[in-house]
Amino acid sequence: MRVALFVTCVNDTLFPGTGRAVVSLLRRLGCEVDFPLAQTCCGQMHLNTGYREEAVRLARRFAGVFAGYDAVVAPSGSCAAMVREQYPRLIGRDFPAVHDLSEFLIDVLEVEDVGAYFPHRVTYHPTCHSLRGLHLGDRPTRLLRKVRGLELVPLPGAEECCGFGGTFAVKNPAVSAAMCADKVRNVLGTGAEVLCAADNSCLMHIGGTLRRQRTGVRVMHLAEILEATE
Amino acid sequence: MSATFLGMPGNLSKNTDFPKNAAKAVQNSQLRFNLRKATHTIRGKRAAVVSELPDWQDLRAAGRAIKDHTLRHLDRYLLQLEEAVTARGGHVHWARDAAEANRIVTDLVKATGEREVVKVKSMATQEIGLNEHLAAHGITAYETDLAELIVQLGHDFPSHILVPAIHRNRAEIREIFLREMPGAPEGLTDEPRALAEAARLHLRERFLKAKVAVSGANFMIAETGTMVVLESEGNGRMCLSLPETLISVVGIEKLLPAWHDLEVFLQLLPRSSTGERMNPYTSMWTGSVEGQDFHLVLLDNGRTRVLADEVGRQALRCIRCSACLNVCPVYERAGGHAYGSVYPGPIGAILTPQLRGMGSELDASLPYASSLCGACYEVCPVAIDIPQVLVDLRAKAPHGLAERAGMRAAWWLFAREGRLAAAQRLAARLRRLIPRRLPGPLGAWTDTRDVPDIPRQSFRDWWKESGS
Amino acid sequence: MNARQEILARIRRAVAGAPEVEIPRGYRTHVTLEDPVGRFAERVGDYRAVVHVVPAAEVPGRLAELVAGRRMAAPEGLPWLEAVRGAAAELILDGPGLSVAELDRVDGVVTGCAVAVAETGTIVLDERQGRRALTLVPDYHLCVVQAAQIVASVPEALARLTPTSPLTWVSGPSATSDIELDRVEGVHGPRTLEVVISA
Ligand code: SF4
């Protein structure tokens, strides 16, 4: 199967390791991965900040770049939700189907055990757009449970927002920080070594606080854990 | 069009905005504790009673569609309602805005010769600032709902749709009662039972001798002319059935076409709001009953303007259950007062800017008072897509110069992949120079968080080099 | 233009061209319960009301026990009125002459109901249960529910009611959750609700 990777602008620029992990994971599972170089950003930041015109132009660009692919995979619940939920309102229905990584693995490739090995105590934050936008449900944790050596510990208050919200963190820093503080407290309470999520924006937000507080808890994208082997 | 008044906070000054109000509230640990405890309690109750109904999503879909259908034909249904109410001896008045509604109610009270009215908790009368208007005409309005009483006695503002005194805990309420309630029992404890008992005694005489009552309504049935009020304490029943004159001020969007439509909403509302299978008391009456003089004041006050907006009009489906407040992580930390309107929380963030416009800094900041986490949409019993309306309002809100320049620059980078790649390489070269704490508007973010390291190589450069 | 004309005109302008909406009614309008009486008793009890389930023939006797020595009010036309009259310290019947002040002096009120809802533990009173003040001012409400009056769900209850009669839906005693969202029974309405189910 030939799939296009939509790496997302944030991952492209700040978290290339996540993109590399997706490529290596999908290749291991027998996919032919393509990265259309003309891709940039899905337009979410512009739409959510109130710049609809710019968002529409970026959405059109996206639809053009990815036209003709069987499947597009994005390692970001938030960007996948943007395309699936918002594009119909912005540019109509003429754009390819976009899957979040865990949807692609479970629904399209129909694998749960991706052959990963990661001997650590991990807790999983579902992130709002993965949970309530894409309705990923237990897909990510089903994948994590099949990772050898991995101990998955439940995160209290998991479904609560971490307070990132893109522009929100900048425009409402006090509330955003208060939300993040509660999330961090819950993460620390689990005793996990690694906080995992399917969205690097949220992980950047929570991870930034974890690091500032010198907690020693690492954040890792789901793709990077699933890619890890012995 | 006349200015829309939303009965709020003279004390919240004009030159503030949501982020500033919220930043202050976040510092108040007592408030945060009270709100957290209350909202988490009610969340759990709601989830439990909603999960009892296997057809919850069907009820929700029906609720949404019934409201949309009614709004589509609001003119026809209002006329039908008017005819039905009038046919059964009630009087119907129409008010374009707050001033007109206040004038109508004040004239009706004056005509009775009374100087006092008892009130059932109603968002519409708070919205129009009725109590203040009556006071200016020498008429005292007594709030009879326990939480409204706490707010009124505490010279305070409501901070929640359903539980206006949610920001107060039992100890604070006890103090307010001891200080402000005439005849409060000396040994009053802070037991909720004792506090409720004190309110009962305080209001009992007033109920029994009241001649005029003012209420709102949760639903009006066009087909039959029936008014419906849901409540818990019995103060509603006292006000609705004992006085000789009853004046109900109701927003025009509170209409339902037919009697049997209640079968949907009497299931959706109690479970969503107090998290009960049914609230203790629901009163229904049609026109003038048991010899009572009944007046219905139909209120526009900006609603028709909201109705004209294709995306925003869904806010008029709202049945004021407050489920969206109770699950909102922003409301939980900012509290209701930060929203500067009688409508706080997620519904307030979409309703206030539509009703009042975005002329003030506060109102222009409300569409951004959300992380777009979607929890509100998920629980809303009439499926108002609050995040969608927020995003739509953001597109209409005024934007600052610096932000516009920044967003324009970002767009320019994203418009050609070459530009993005060049910017990424530049950032990689300067990566050592980027501080852990950022200057300017981004500084607030790095007050509590570290910025991530900039990678040596972007993904696209890796791909070109060794990926493909 | 007067206010009425202007509001109607604004509405018509606002919705011009808006699409028609289909109403999906996939929800349950009829629910089958194995034991409606049991479910109703359980759900009323959840509100901390006192519940008795008694065979029809024993209802007058049970009522007599419950009202013994109390000053009671009642609407006219109840089948067990004589039993109540015999046991109560006093029985006042509802009527135009009965003032609120007099009602405030009785200990309790006994009524029947129009319909009851098992799923929600709700009793609906209509005008046959007297004026609304009758079941509101006294502190104790004793309500007799016949098994045949119990329906499973809210839609079934609405279908049995007459909208033009003033209706009061009662689900447990008066209560408030206004203080820290803790439920407390007993504010302005009757603080005690006692239900006798005639099975
Ligand atoms: S917007 Fe929805 S959830 Fe919020 S108060 Fe209104 S009806 Fe309830």
Side-chain angles (χ1 to χ4, degrees):
Chain A
M1 176 179 270
R2 202 163 151 258
V3 294
L5 168 64
F6 170 50
V7 77
T8 81
C9 62
V10 167
N11 288 327
D12 182 8
T13 309
L14 293 175
F15 306 102
T18 298
R20 293 195 300 265
V22 176
V23 172
S24 131
L25 174 65
L26 292 180
R27 282 182 179 156
R28 194 168 82 207
L29 296 171
C31 294
E32 200 183 310
V33 186
D34 199 2
F35 178 78
L37 277 162
Q39 65 180 280
T40 58
C41 169
C42 65
Q44 179 172 213
M45 174 177 77
H46 283 94
L47 183 73
N48 288 353
T49 314
Y51 296 78
R52 195 188 160 92
E53 263 313 297
E54 288 82 351
V56 167
R57 285 149 86 174
L58 290 172
R60 291 225 176 85
R61 181 186 170 87
F62 178 99
V65 169
F66 288 98
Y69 282 99
D70 305 331
V72 179
V73 177
S76 160
S78 182
C79 302
M82 163 75 184
V83 175
R84 203 180 296 166
E85 293 198 329
Q86 304 299 331
Y87 275 22
R89 289 186 196 119
L90 299 177
I91 58 167
R93 306 215 157 257
D94 194 16
F95 57 86
V98 175
H99 308 272
D100 166 75
L101 177 65
S102 65
E103 281 177 321
F104 185 73
L105 294 175
I106 291 202
D107 302 347
V108 181
L109 297 185
E110 299 183 354
V111 287
E112 276 191 25
D113 185 347
V114 296
Y117 173 71
F118 190 74
H120 297 282
R121 197 176 160 93
V122 175
T123 192
Y124 183 77
H125 169 53
T127 79
C128 302
H129 292 165
S130 302
L131 188 70
R132 287 177 283 264
L134 293 179
H135 302 285
L136 290 188
D138 63 354
R139 287 181 185 83
T141 46
R142 269 156 67 194
L143 292 162
L144 285 173
R145 274 180 222 290
K146 290 284 159 67
V147 174
R148 267 162 304 117
L150 187 147
E151 185 197 350
L152 186 65
V153 285
L155 177 65
E159 68 295 337
E160 275 187 47
C161 179
C162 69
F164 177 60
T167 337
F168 177 73
V170 177
K171 292 205 184 229
N172 281 284
V175 179
S176 169
M179 287 160 70
C180 196
D182 290 342
K183 182 60 74 184
V184 161
R185 193 166 326 117
N186 282 328
V187 170
L188 295 179
T190 64
E193 303 157 64
V194 176
L195 170 68
C196 172
D199 226 305
N200 275 326
S201 309
C202 309
L203 284 178
M204 173 175 74
H205 179 72
I206 309 169
T209 308
L210 285 167
R211 200 154 87 165
R212 172 66 55 86
Q213 295 180 5
R214 303 193 191 289
T215 58
V217 177
R218 279 187 295 155
V219 297
M220 270 177 95
H221 192 281
L222 179 66
E224 292 167 37
I225 291 182
L226 296 181
E227 191 250 354
T229 49
E230 269 173 81
Chain B
M1 188 166 290
S2 45
T4 302
F5 181 71
L6 282 189
M8 202 54 176
N11 72 342
L12 286 181
S13 78
K14 282 278 168 220
N15 46 29
T16 183
D17 58 15
F18 181 83
K20 288 188 205 122
N21 292 340
K24 248 180 270 163
V26 164
Q27 299 301 319
N28 183 340
S29 54
Q30 178 72 66
L31 174 71
R32 270 182 72 185
F33 178 84
N34 294 355
L35 277 173
R36 185 183 163 81
K37 177 158 185 260
T39 54
H40 283 245
T41 306
I42 193 89
R43 257 183 231 183
K45 285 192 195 171
R46 177 203 162 272
V49 293
V50 163
S51 70
E52 274 181 15
L53 294 186
D55 55 346
W56 183 256
Q57 292 305 336
D58 298 308
L59 288 165
R60 199 168 167 247
R64 167 199 177 135
I66 292 168
K67 280 286 185 182
D68 280 347
H69 165 82
T70 316
L71 291 168
R72 175 68 187 79
H73 300 285
L74 194 56
D75 54 338
R76 193 176 91 209
Y77 286 126
L78 282 171
L79 289 172
Q80 194 186 3
L81 172 83
E82 180 186 49
E83 200 182 311
V85 170
T86 313
R88 304 212 52 107
H91 306 275
V92 178
H93 311 260
W94 301 67
R96 277 167 282 217
D97 52 28
E100 191 163 24
N102 284 329
R103 200 161 54 235
I104 293 169
V105 177
T106 308
D107 289 348
L108 288 170
V109 178
K110 279 184 178 164
T112 66
E114 292 295 316
R115 315 294 284 170
E116 292 183 354
V117 301
V118 284
K119 276 191 72 198
V120 197
K121 178 177 148 35
S122 123
M123 297 306 298
T125 59
Q126 272 174 32
E127 176 188 318
I128 62 175
L130 179 66
N131 291 5
E132 294 75 16
H133 191 269
L134 287 173
H137 290 262
I139 299 161
T140 311
Y142 292 101
E143 292 292 349
T144 63
D145 172 82
L146 178 52
E148 290 289 356
L149 180 71
I150 296 164
V151 167
Q152 199 177 34
L153 289 176
H155 310 289
D156 197 356
F157 291 96
S159 70
H160 188 276
I161 295 177
L162 178 77
V163 199
I166 196 168
H167 55 291
R168 299 288 194 192
N169 65 16
R170 57 186 76 192
E172 295 170 287
I173 295 168
R174 172 178 172 269
E175 265 171 45
I176 293 171
F177 278 13
L178 286 175
R179 196 172 62 230
E180 304 281 346
M181 186 190 273
E186 260 174 44
L188 184 63
T189 68
D190 66 3
E191 267 303 296
R193 193 168 298 282
L195 295 168
E197 174 66 13
R200 176 186 173 96
L201 293 172
H202 172 68
L203 288 171
R204 187 90 185 158
E205 272 313 297
R206 191 147 281 147
F207 281 135
L208 299 186
K209 58 176 216 263
K211 294 277 188 285
V212 184
V214 177
S215 83
N218 297 96
F219 306 105
M220 313 185 279
I221 311 299
E223 171 193 42
T224 57
T226 307
M227 314 290 298
V228 183
V229 170
L230 281 72
E231 53 134 351
S232 294
E233 297 165 18
N235 64 310
R237 294 177 69 191
M238 290 278 179
C239 294
L240 298 171
S241 59
L242 299 185
E244 292 159 8
T245 303
L246 171 62
I247 305 164
S248 300
V249 183
V250 188
I252 50 175
E253 83 284 15
K254 292 276 164 264
L255 208 53
L256 298 176
W259 173 251
H260 74 265
D261 290 325
L262 281 173
E263 69 193 20
V264 174
F265 292 92
L266 288 184
Q267 298 193 70
L268 289 176
L269 183 48
R271 290 180 198 255
S272 299
S273 64
T274 51
E276 294 165 302
R277 296 185 183 111
M278 195 61 95
N279 50 297
Y281 298 132
T282 298
S283 295
M284 302 180 180
W285 74 97
T286 305
S288 161
V289 296
E290 296 176 358
Q292 194 180 48
D293 199 16
F294 173 59
H295 294 269
L296 170 60
V297 182
L298 295 170
L299 178 71
D300 180 348
N301 203 33
R303 285 163 176 74
T304 47
R305 189 171 10 173
V306 181
L307 187 61
D309 189 296
E310 255 176 67
V311 177
R313 65 164 67 111
Q314 58 185 305
L316 295 177
R317 285 185 214 141
C318 176
I319 56 176
R320 310 281 189 262
C321 70
S322 71
C324 59
L325 279 65
N326 299 331
V327 296
C328 178
V330 178
Y331 174 86
E332 182 188 326
R333 289 160 183 97
H337 292 155
Y339 296 80
S341 157
V342 292
Y343 301 111
I347 181 61
I350 62 168
L351 200 53
T352 305
Q354 292 199 78
L355 286 173
R356 207 154 58 179
M358 289 187 275
S360 75
E361 253 184 79
L362 175 69
D363 293 341
S365 70
L366 288 176
Y368 293 91
S370 164
S371 64
L372 303 180
C373 83
C376 49
Y377 177 34
E378 193 176 52
V379 296
C380 177
V382 285
I384 300 173
D385 191 342
I386 294 175
Q388 193 209 344
V389 181
L390 286 168
V391 165
D392 193 66
L393 285 169
R394 289 177 184 186
K396 294 169 183 157
H399 297 286
L401 265 177
E403 185 196 282
R404 270 215 305 273
M407 295 304 286
R408 190 98 15 99
W411 180 79
W412 185 85
L413 285 181
F414 291 148
R416 299 273 185 284
E417 66 273 19
R419 294 173 189 164
L420 177 60
Q424 286 167 338
R425 274 175 223 132
L426 180 69
R429 256 203 310 275
L430 302 176
R431 54 198 286 271
R432 299 255 164 259
L433 304 177
I434 293 177
R436 282 270 175 265
R437 291 169 201 247
L438 297 174
L442 299 174
W445 192 76
T446 53
D447 278 349
T448 55
R449 309 166 195 84
D450 280 356
V451 282
D453 298 320
I454 305 288
R456 233 177 284 275
Q457 190 180 40
S458 70
F459 178 81
R460 68 178 59 239
D461 280 351
W462 171 81
W463 177 269
K464 274 190 278 190
E465 220 176 270
S466 45
S468 50
Chain C
M1 269 205 280
N2 65 25
R4 179 174 181 273
Q5 291 164 328
E6 192 169 331
I7 292 171
L8 290 170
R10 287 174 184 174
I11 292 170
R12 288 174 188 139
R13 262 200 313 274
V15 300
E20 287 296 332
V21 184
E22 285 285 319
I23 301 173
R25 294 195 189 260
Y27 55 86
R28 304 166 307 159
T29 50
H30 183 84
V31 175
T32 313
L33 293 176
E34 231 166 72
D35 175 18
V37 171
R39 175 63 61 86
F40 174 70
E42 168 210 320
R43 294 279 153 102
V44 181
D46 283 350
Y47 298 122
R48 288 179 224 164
V50 186
V51 187
H52 311 258
V53 184
V54 293
E58 292 170 26
V59 169
R62 183 60 63 91
L63 292 181
E65 280 167 36
L66 293 172
V67 304
R70 283 179 156 154
R71 305 168 62 206
M72 298 296 291
E76 289 192 66
L78 287 181
W80 345 266
L81 217 48
E82 285 321 306
V84 173
R85 199 191 306 275
E90 191 184 338
L91 180 67
I92 307 173
L93 288 185
D94 186 32
L98 182 60
S99 72
V100 170
E102 276 172 278
L103 266 180
D104 198 27
R105 283 192 291 272
V106 304
D107 297 319
V109 56
V110 54
T111 71
C113 75
V115 64
V117 190
E119 271 195 343
T120 61
T122 303
I123 293 156
V124 187
L125 310 172
D126 64 6
E127 58 200 352
R128 289 167 299 173
Q129 273 61 247
R131 286 173 308 154
R132 294 169 298 171
L134 191 74
T135 44
L136 172 63
V137 178
D139 203 19
Y140 167 70
H141 181 188
L142 176 59
C143 184
V144 183
V145 177
Q146 319 268 6
Q149 290 178 314
I150 300 174
V151 296
S153 65
V154 170
E156 293 157 87
L158 281 157
R160 286 204 191 182
L161 293 165
T162 313
T164 46
S165 170
L167 301 170
T168 308
W169 296 52
V170 177
S171 306
S174 151
T176 181
S177 303
D178 281 351
I179 301 166
E180 298 179 11
L181 285 161
D182 261 354
R183 188 179 156 110
V184 174
E185 282 79 21
V187 197
H188 305 295
R191 284 180 287 189
T192 310
L193 174 68
E194 195 150 3
V195 179
V196 174
I197 305 172
S198 163

